[in-house]
Amino acid sequence: MDSHAIIASLPLSGDDRAEFIRTANHAFECVIERIEPNNEQMTRSLWDAGHYVDHHLLDEAMLPISRDYALSLIDAFLVSYVVDLAVEADKLTVEPPTVN
């Protein structure tokens, strides 16, 4: 990584976006292993690294930001995001109550 690279505008594109998506996917796999969600397949189906990078990781108020620092934020923030996905997956897989 180039420690002098700066992200000055959003959305990310090209090589930067690709690197952020690769990093997010790797971090997602680590988080899934750590949290062991009840509905892992559904949690995985809700994961979209591109959406996370484009809409949840950075915002304009954080710019300019070091590329390396921005990449490190993925590990810092992804755990809570994946937990939220796991909770959503649990809600989606709950069977409706039966009516007698």
Side-chain angles (χ1 to χ4, degrees):
M1 286 194 249
D2 179 7
S3 61
H4 300 293
I6 297 292
I7 296 173
S9 65
L10 296 174
L12 296 173
S13 60
D15 290 342
D16 281 337
R17 186 172 187 272
E19 179 64 20
F20 275 73
I21 288 172
R22 275 191 299 275
T23 301
N25 278 325
H26 176 74
F28 175 80
E29 291 302 324
C30 293
V31 171
I32 283 288
E33 289 298 315
R34 277 185 257 152
I35 70 168
E36 299 178 359
N38 292 332
N39 296 292
E40 182 178 336
Q41 289 308 98
M42 177 64 77
T43 303
R44 287 179 178 283
S45 74
L46 296 172
W47 170 245
D48 180 339
H51 179 79
Y52 177 74
V53 166
D54 293 342
H55 300 286
H56 296 281
L57 181 61
L58 301 172
D59 64 43
E60 295 286 336
M62 300 170 79
L63 302 179
I65 188 171
S66 155
R67 184 177 183 273
D68 291 348
Y69 180 65
L71 279 166
S72 76
L73 294 176
I74 293 172
D75 281 332
F77 296 136
L78 194 63
V79 172
S80 64
Y81 185 81
V82 177
V83 168
D84 288 346
L85 292 180
V87 169
E88 185 176 344
D90 290 347
K91 289 177 183 176
L92 292 171
T93 58
V94 170
E95 293 183 40
T98 57
V99 177
N100 291 339

